[in-house]
Amino acid sequence: MKAVLLIEDDDALRPMIAAALEQNGWKVLTAEDGEAGLELARQHRPEVVVCDLLMPRCNGYQVCRAIRATPELRTTRIVMISGRGYATDKMNALEAGADDYLVKPVEPHELRETLRRLTSEKCSEEIKRPAAQGASGPARVKFWGVRGSIASPGPSTVFYGGNTSCLEVRADGEIIVLDAGTGIRALGLALSQEFNGTPMNLTLLLTHTHWDHIQGFPFFVPAYNPKNTVRILGYEGARQGLAATLGTQMESPYFPVGMKELPGNITIEELRDMEFTVGKVQVRAMFVNHPGICVGYRLHTSGGDIVFIPDNEPFHRMRSKPEGADAKALEFAEQQDAKLIEFIRGADVLVIDAQYDREEYEQRVGWGHACIDDVAEMAVRAKVKQLFLFHHDPTHDDERVSRMLAHARQIAAQQNGFETIVDAAREGLEVVLKG
Ligand SMILES: [Zn+2]
Ligand SMILES: [Zn+2]
């Protein structure tokens, strides 16, 4: 006898539907909420799950995704039932893994016919599994947003790009997104095109929650597809939790879709440790000198090490004073800068805040961003192989960034002992690590 599991929290509806199916020769198991239903599904492996959409504890989308993620249930068919006939609900259900979607009140003959049809199709057919994510090929980094502070599109920034902080890293089978500035919008579109409906698993590492590092997230298309899994990792800010801070920018005065309404399978995890892993990629974080809570990340991949420090003000120049420096303050500054040098040491790719030139920095001491001379010097001292100047100032046009790049190259060349390749980050540039 074929078994059907009915997950329905409506106490009046559940026995009615169960009776109609039993009459038709089905063995019927019932559960009152999604969690209990999933437990039964795993125990009994029914041929079909009939599942309500809106339920306490675990909604129908979550049930679908959990079933589709369970190898033993790969042949189980799922029929979602719901009082809501919105086309988007149906689309989301199918994308979450349901085989069909029926609008309540569901007629007994309609349900029986749907079950007959689904179970007479090839039951042994495997449900399409999420594809391995970029499992092959060398590690690579792509720039999607390179600007600091605020997006600055226009003809004068068209070469380096006007979008704010966002990088894509592909390494060891993982897709890791660094920051969610406005550049993440175009990344989301590119990923959707590439995966073309196949589920994707992404990890988003946030350095901090200043606007230029999170503002693109509401426009990140993969977050709107229930088949996708987006894991957001970052550290708690000064006032409230990471989830609350990210949710605030999507509250109704600012954005039409709330964070919790996003249909994608999104988790937000506050990091506590400074070392963790994303799949096989080992990640180290370091708190840097920038207003609020801000970190840099070092990704240790099989293809090499990538360091991302989008916002940081080195201490030494900040603590130096024209009238003569306080020796203690300078000693402290040097110790702090030495820690940063250790953190970036030997990196294959270093992407780091280089917002100001020397004259400009004098007017911006204590703003939390770097003077380009210091960045170039430190990169050479740390024997970084490839340095990318990042967080370009919104007022700097392409010509200005190119001039700053030329200056940074000069500074790097004057240092003894190591040849660091210096470049300026620009949108669309992809760097393949040699491994
Ligand atoms: Zn920034
Ligand atoms: Zn910042």
Side-chain angles (χ1 to χ4, degrees):
M1 191 188 273
K2 284 181 179 174
V4 56
L5 167 61
L6 172 64
I7 313 173
E8 169 62 79
D9 64 318
D10 187 318
D11 291 332
L13 216 51
R14 196 172 53 251
M16 275 170 54
I17 299 175
L21 290 170
E22 274 163 357
Q23 272 177 19
N24 199 232
W26 285 88
K27 179 188 171 195
V28 183
L29 303 158
T30 58
E32 294 172 24
D33 66 58
E35 270 180 13
L38 278 174
E39 193 56 46
L40 281 179
R42 289 181 186 122
Q43 278 170 22
H44 297 276
R45 300 183 195 175
E47 274 80 13
V48 183
V49 172
V50 175
C51 178
D52 187 26
L53 172 58
L54 300 176
M55 292 182 297
R57 302 177 76 86
C58 184
N59 67 43
Y61 297 138
Q62 292 169 304
V63 170
C64 284
R65 280 194 289 268
I67 289 176
R68 290 295 170 243
T70 307
E72 304 81 62
L73 297 174
R74 66 186 180 278
T75 57
T76 298
R77 301 296 184 159
I78 307 171
V79 180
M80 183 95 77
I81 53 175
S82 169
R84 311 191 327 175
Y86 298 122
T88 50
D89 284 343
K90 179 171 181 178
M91 190 185 78
N92 290 337
L94 298 181
E95 286 184 350
D99 296 289
D100 210 338
Y101 183 95
L102 302 177
V103 180
K104 292 178 190 174
V106 180
E107 293 295 331
H109 71 85
E110 186 186 12
L111 186 57
R112 283 198 297 262
E113 177 51 30
T114 303
L115 264 57
R116 190 199 61 73
R117 177 171 51 76
L118 289 178
T119 50
S120 65
E121 288 169 8
K122 270 195 299 172
C123 267
S124 60
E125 178 197 338
E126 290 217 359
I127 307 298
K128 222 162 114 191
R129 302 249 64 78
Q133 312 275 316
S136 58
R140 54 202 166 96
V141 184
K142 188 166 180 181
F143 294 98
W144 290 92
V146 299
R147 196 62 54 173
S149 309
I150 192 164
S152 50
S156 67
T157 58
V158 81
F159 182 73
Y160 290 103
N163 280 299
T164 59
S165 184
C166 180
L167 268 64
E168 173 192 9
V169 174
R170 301 274 183 115
D172 300 319
E174 299 295 327
I175 302 176
I176 301 174
V177 182
L178 296 166
D179 275 348
T182 62
I184 202 172
R185 188 187 71 85
L187 166 60
L189 293 172
L191 285 170
S192 298
Q193 200 169 32
E194 178 186 337
F195 280 78
N196 193 25
T198 309
M200 52 180 119
N201 295 309
L202 309 169
T203 303
L204 167 59
L205 295 183
L206 294 175
T207 57
H208 63 312
T209 55
H210 284 164
W211 273 346
D212 48 328
H213 302 260
I214 63 165
Q215 231 172 6
F217 186 75
F219 300 89
F220 186 50
V221 173
Y224 289 79
N225 185 337
K227 279 195 284 190
N228 297 337
T229 303
V230 183
R231 185 179 171 215
I232 306 175
L233 304 176
Y235 292 84
E236 184 174 27
R239 286 208 186 141
Q240 50 184 359
L242 180 65
T245 307
L246 293 177
T248 301
Q249 72 164 346
M250 296 179 74
E251 280 178 2
S252 66
Y254 312 112
F255 199 71
V257 184
M259 189 73 170
K260 288 193 176 132
E261 290 166 319
L262 289 176
N265 201 3
I266 297 161
T267 56
I268 302 173
E269 295 169 45
E270 253 170 38
L271 293 161
R272 294 183 185 280
D273 297 320
M274 303 309 279
E275 286 186 30
F276 55 96
T277 55
V278 177
K280 289 181 189 149
V281 178
Q282 289 175 330
V283 185
R284 206 141 48 92
M286 178 186 176
F287 290 114
V288 294
N289 192 33
H290 188 69
I293 305 291
C294 179
V295 297
Y297 290 110
R298 181 170 182 136
L299 276 54
H300 177 64
T301 79
S302 61
D305 281 19
I306 300 155
V307 182
F308 180 57
I309 306 175
D311 296 49
N312 176 57
E313 181 170 12
F315 281 86
H316 190 270
R317 191 176 299 267
M318 185 178 76
R319 293 288 173 94
S320 305
K321 294 201 174 84
E323 66 271 19
D326 172 336
K328 265 194 173 167
L330 274 187
E331 193 189 329
F332 171 81
E334 270 160 24
Q335 284 167 359
Q336 297 305 306
D337 287 346
K339 283 185 197 166
L340 186 77
I341 289 171
E342 279 316 303
F343 188 74
I344 64 176
R345 185 169 296 285
D348 294 86
V349 170
L350 168 64
V351 179
I352 191 164
D353 183 340
Q355 188 157 347
Y356 305 128
D357 62 25
R358 215 159 44 199
E359 293 70 36
E360 219 173 6
Y361 179 80
E362 295 307 318
Q363 312 303 314
R364 306 275 190 272
V365 177
W367 284 35
H369 298 291
C371 166
I372 198 165
D373 297 43
D374 300 335
V375 171
E377 273 176 30
M378 286 200 290
V380 177
R381 275 174 67 191
K383 297 192 161 80
V384 165
K385 296 190 185 82
Q386 212 170 352
L387 162 67
F388 287 92
L389 310 174
F390 192 74
H391 210 271
H392 306 314
D393 192 273
T395 65
H396 292 176
D397 60 15
D398 289 330
E399 198 196 326
R400 178 83 177 265
V401 176
S402 293
R403 263 190 284 137
M404 286 173 70
L405 170 61
H407 177 71
R409 283 177 172 161
Q410 244 178 15
I411 298 279
Q414 285 163 11
Q415 312 298 306
N416 293 323
F418 194 81
E419 211 170 296
T420 296
I421 299 167
V422 185
D423 225 316
R426 66 168 197 275
E427 263 176 49
L429 178 67
E430 189 165 35
V431 185
V432 179
L433 275 74
K434 301 206 169 67

